[in-house]
Amino acid sequence: MFNLGTCYEAGEGVKKDSATAFKYYSMAANAGHADALYIVGSCYELGEGVEIELKKAIKFYKAAAALNHVRAMYNLGRLYYAGKGFSDVDYTEAVFWFTKAARLQSGPSYST
């Protein structure tokens, strides 16, 4: 399912279609695929293939982060830092997620 999502997202072998890509990514996410959980979170955050729903983005990022997905951790930190999807900013939570991502030594939270 995940690979079909990437095909529809990029238009590889099929007509590019973000809504169909989202459908396949969602199926993979429901099966616990970490990258799919992250991508579904990104889709909800950015409105790619679905309406923007920050609460759902956070839910999917947290599920991916529980599977040690570094970019999901970074995005959680970024959202907490900006207060997006929350009632207010939460620097403590932001630092927690940025630090956790950095400790896994991969991703945008520590690279220059």
Side-chain angles (χ1 to χ4, degrees):
M1 295 296 118
F2 180 81
N3 290 338
L4 281 172
T6 60
C7 288
Y8 278 100
E9 180 181 23
E12 293 180 13
V14 294
K15 183 178 178 184
K16 189 173 182 172
D17 184 337
S18 60
T20 302
F22 177 80
K23 178 180 90 170
Y24 285 113
Y25 284 138
S26 293
M27 288 179 192
N30 288 334
H33 190 284
D35 286 334
L37 288 162
Y38 165 75
I39 290 172
V40 169
S42 294
C43 289
Y44 277 121
E45 181 183 0
L46 304 172
E48 294 181 6
V50 293
E51 294 293 319
I52 293 173
E53 293 188 53
L54 293 177
K55 296 287 185 194
K56 285 186 179 181
I58 292 162
K59 173 187 160 192
F60 281 95
Y61 285 151
K62 284 184 176 181
L67 297 172
N68 290 328
H69 197 284
V70 173
R71 288 174 294 172
M73 293 174 190
Y74 172 81
N75 281 357
L76 282 169
R78 186 176 48 74
L79 291 174
Y80 276 109
Y81 186 83
K84 288 187 174 182
F86 304 99
S87 58
D88 202 1
V89 298
D90 188 335
Y91 297 126
T92 302
E93 277 295 310
V95 168
F96 170 81
W97 288 109
F98 288 142
T99 302
K100 190 166 182 167
R103 285 190 177 141
L104 289 176
Q105 301 181 4
S106 177
S109 60
Y110 82 98
S111 62
T112 56

